[in-house]
Amino acid sequence: IATEHLLSSGHRDIAVLVDHDRWTTGFERIAGWRDAFTRAGLTPPEDLCVKLGDTREDIETALRTVVPRLVQQGVTAIFAANSQVAQLLYTALQDQGLSAPDDISLVAYDDANWTEMVRPAISVITQHVDMLGQTAADQLIGMIEAPKADAPSVGAPVSRFLVQPTLVERDSVRAITPDGSA
């Protein structure tokens, strides 16, 4: 969703920044970034898929060299795959005299409180954590209240529910024309 939004805003040089891809979240968000390029008939720029590290310190250290490299490569937009990466990226951009969306467009995953508090406010993908929690609670209550004969047994199929994430457009993405101008 984030990459599709950036592509529809005219960006083609879009980096994805993740802490790591050993967990489903990082792995799937990279896959989504790739899929958006493919669906748009474009080749995903694999050199713009950046894994920053496991810890906050690793991410901060990596961003000091990654941000200037991305700018030098002509990246016009970044998808930060989680709220910690987004927050540290936002700070790194400021530390290097850069801002969103003037110098680089930014979309973050997770609608953390800080994304609305900064100016310009950050466009995000929201996971609807309230609906996730409500769905989980409803399922648990249903299992507790179910007659013992209806209760799932070990090895029973797992129920899966999808709460579709959505884009919350704010002010951190600027549209560009095919020649790269605003």
Side-chain angles (χ1 to χ4, degrees):
I1 297 168
T3 306
E4 287 173 350
H5 175 60
L6 292 167
L7 287 166
S8 71
S9 297
H11 298 277
R12 296 296 178 265
D13 297 305
I14 304 167
V16 59
L17 303 185
V18 298
D19 45 4
H20 56 78
D21 65 354
R22 291 187 309 278
W23 294 343
T24 309
T25 51
F27 179 82
E28 291 294 330
R29 290 173 193 166
I30 291 170
W33 171 82
R34 286 183 179 123
D35 289 348
F37 275 98
T38 302
R39 282 191 307 274
L42 302 168
T43 302
E46 292 298 330
D47 61 323
L48 301 182
C49 176
V50 183
K51 298 168 197 160
L52 299 167
D54 293 328
T55 67
R56 179 183 182 94
E57 293 75 25
D58 292 343
I59 296 167
E60 287 173 325
T61 300
L63 286 170
R64 286 200 264 314
T65 57
V66 167
V67 169
R69 177 178 63 82
L70 293 176
V71 170
Q72 184 180 17
Q73 285 180 264
V75 167
T76 60
I78 296 174
F79 167 41
N82 65 49
S83 57
Q84 182 178 39
V85 168
Q87 184 179 16
L88 297 174
L89 171 62
Y90 187 84
T91 302
L93 289 171
Q94 288 183 326
D95 289 349
Q96 295 183 35
L98 302 169
S99 66
D102 296 333
D103 299 303
I104 200 152
S105 289
L106 173 61
V107 177
Y109 202 99
D110 289 329
D111 195 7
N113 289 339
W114 72 269
T115 61
E116 283 186 281
M117 294 170 30
V118 296
R119 292 295 176 260
I122 307 300
S123 294
V124 298
I125 304 301
T126 183
Q127 303 186 71
H128 303 290
V129 293
D130 53 339
M131 289 192 309
L132 287 169
Q134 184 65 52
T135 301
D138 290 346
Q139 291 303 303
L140 180 59
I141 291 167
M143 291 170 65
I144 292 168
E145 292 177 347
K148 191 163 188 142
D150 295 338
S153 60
V154 175
V158 175
S159 297
R160 293 184 183 262
F161 297 88
L162 174 65
V163 176
Q164 184 66 40
T166 57
L167 172 69
V168 178
E169 289 186 63
R170 295 191 180 124
D171 303 317
S172 61
V173 175
R174 70 178 171 104
I176 60 173
T177 61
D179 68 0
S181 62

